[in-house]
Amino acid sequence: MKPCIYIHTNEKQIIGALVSKYSFERFAADKNAFDVKLIHTKDFPFLDAHEGRKYLRGGLTREWVNDDLQSFTVLRFMPPELMGYQGRSVVVDPDVFCVSDVAPLLNRDMKGASIMARKRGASTAKEFASSVMLLDNAKLTHWQVEKSFEEMFAFKRDYSDWINLHLEPKESIGVLEPVWNDFDTLTRETRMIHNTHRRTQPWKTGLKVDFRPAERAGSFKLSNIIHRTRRTLFGEYGLLGSYRSHPDSNQERLFFALLKECIDKGIVTQAMLDEQMKLNHVRHDARDVLARTRTLAEQPLFAA
């Protein structure tokens, strides 16, 4: 069984997901060595069935919103099921873009681990980021997503514990080097760039913010109090402002250079792009940005 790269997404991030998928194929030394597939929320009716229901997140009860920017996140645990608990898979967020051959990751010695992921910080005590994971599917038969999803609404499972891999035995998780999930950092060493700061995702600049800030139970930080008050008075996205430009112009150019290639190859059509702009999923000046973006062939990311 060939290993598979999975990008989980919803409609709000579908352009990012298609560009991400293309990036893995573009930089592959052997394009037949692995498959690349999308996991889309629309294909999992159990998500829609819970619209508006209360679930447990960070010790608080929150309302499930299928139209949220990150409603796809629980689907990052789907690859073992989708592959019949066989072989290897890599799962990434739709704002993760490959800039090198992924084969060294797929073929690496996992040293008995069932999961490999990077730490969120330099400290060994920091929690893992599940936004990019290398998975040994045969060792993850307990990953049954619909059942686990239901447990959140029965208040038996906390979303934050699940998504941060707190429910997995520590000895089952191996540590990935940060270059395989580089948080808003693009250098010669980067293997996968992750535009993790949602407010500065390059394809969102100028749009109204449509993601929900995290909140923690028992926290009296001023920011948490403000968000709870804001949410109560103005709704989930009230007063959150707009997406800003990414501070690294090279990361913006990478995304739009890859998107330009996707359009040239018919992976993303002009009609699709226009529709996503109309839906406020892609910045309204995307066509102008594409017009002034030089391709990677014309201008590599880093000079030789």
Side-chain angles (χ1 to χ4, degrees):
M1 175 178 287
K2 285 199 294 188
C4 187
I5 312 294
Y6 287 98
I7 300 104
H8 54 308
T9 188
N10 56 20
E11 195 59 25
K12 283 192 172 185
Q13 291 283 52
I14 190 62
I15 294 295
L18 290 169
V19 173
S20 176
K21 180 177 184 293
Y22 171 70
S23 73
F24 284 95
E25 296 164 341
R26 184 193 191 281
F27 290 100
D30 179 0
K31 292 178 172 52
N32 295 313
F34 57 87
D35 295 319
V36 190
K37 299 179 181 179
L38 300 188
I39 307 175
H40 198 305
T41 54
K42 66 181 175 59
D43 297 322
F44 298 91
F46 67 83
L47 297 174
D48 282 335
H50 289 77
E51 177 70 27
R53 289 181 56 186
K54 298 288 187 180
Y55 71 101
L56 192 61
R57 178 170 182 164
L60 295 170
T61 56
R62 299 291 299 270
E63 186 176 289
W64 183 259
V65 178
N66 279 293
D67 195 40
D68 185 70
L69 182 70
Q70 292 188 295
S71 62
F72 54 80
T73 51
V74 299
L75 296 180
R76 65 182 55 162
F77 299 99
M78 282 298 308
E81 282 186 72
L82 295 175
M83 294 184 70
Y85 300 103
Q86 300 178 61
R88 282 191 176 188
S89 56
V90 167
V91 62
V92 306
D93 280 2
D95 51 7
V96 172
F97 309 101
C98 189
V99 292
S100 69
D101 185 16
V102 75
L105 177 62
L106 292 169
N107 297 326
R108 75 182 297 161
D109 181 2
M110 296 181 69
K111 298 181 179 179
S114 54
I115 306 161
M116 294 194 76
R118 70 159 287 177
K119 291 291 188 77
R120 289 192 181 277
S123 168
T124 56
K126 293 290 185 180
E127 63 189 17
F128 287 94
S130 61
S131 46
V132 172
M133 293 186 287
L134 171 64
L135 306 174
D136 184 340
N137 299 323
K139 295 181 178 180
L140 295 167
T141 55
H142 60 290
W143 282 17
Q144 300 171 29
V145 175
E146 185 171 358
K147 178 183 176 182
S148 298
F149 187 70
E150 293 283 355
E151 289 175 355
M152 294 196 321
F153 297 88
F155 306 118
K156 296 178 180 178
R157 174 181 294 251
D158 190 301
Y159 169 91
S160 296
D161 288 338
W162 188 15
I163 217 73
N164 291 314
L165 301 178
H166 294 167
L167 304 179
E168 301 299 320
K170 289 184 178 179
E171 63 275 12
S172 72
I173 309 175
V175 180
L176 275 183
E177 300 81 7
V179 294
W180 290 108
N181 187 3
D182 243 350
F183 297 162
D184 285 276
T185 301
L186 181 59
T187 69
R188 292 179 185 275
E189 288 70 42
T190 299
R191 297 295 174 259
M192 295 183 202
I193 171 69
H194 185 180
N195 292 137
T196 186
H197 297 309
R198 292 169 292 182
R199 194 175 286 271
T200 59
Q201 290 184 335
W203 57 98
K204 296 281 188 179
T205 306
L207 300 178
K208 294 295 184 183
V209 166
D210 54 356
F211 62 84
R212 297 185 291 173
E215 298 176 20
R216 295 284 184 180
S219 174
F220 291 98
K221 287 183 178 179
L222 179 60
S223 60
N224 284 356
I225 295 171
I226 290 173
H227 280 309
R228 291 168 195 167
T229 304
R230 174 197 57 75
R231 187 159 52 92
T232 300
L233 295 177
F234 302 102
E236 287 288 357
Y237 310 112
L239 304 182
L240 287 179
S242 300
Y243 288 91
R244 301 190 295 263
S245 297
H246 199 287
D248 182 0
S249 60
N250 216 24
Q251 292 184 44
E252 178 177 292
R253 191 174 76 81
L254 169 66
F255 176 82
F256 279 97
L258 290 172
L259 176 58
K260 179 176 272 192
E261 291 183 20
C262 285
I263 291 172
D264 289 344
K265 294 176 182 295
I267 296 167
V268 175
T269 66
Q270 291 285 0
M272 182 189 304
L273 183 62
D274 289 343
E275 178 66 14
Q276 292 297 309
M277 290 164 60
K278 182 179 178 181
L279 292 170
N280 292 321
H281 298 165
V282 174
R283 59 193 289 176
H284 294 165
D285 64 345
R287 279 179 172 269
D288 295 333
V289 178
L290 283 166
R292 65 175 182 260
T293 297
R294 298 181 68 179
T295 67
L296 297 179
E298 294 170 327
Q299 182 182 347
L301 289 172
F302 303 103

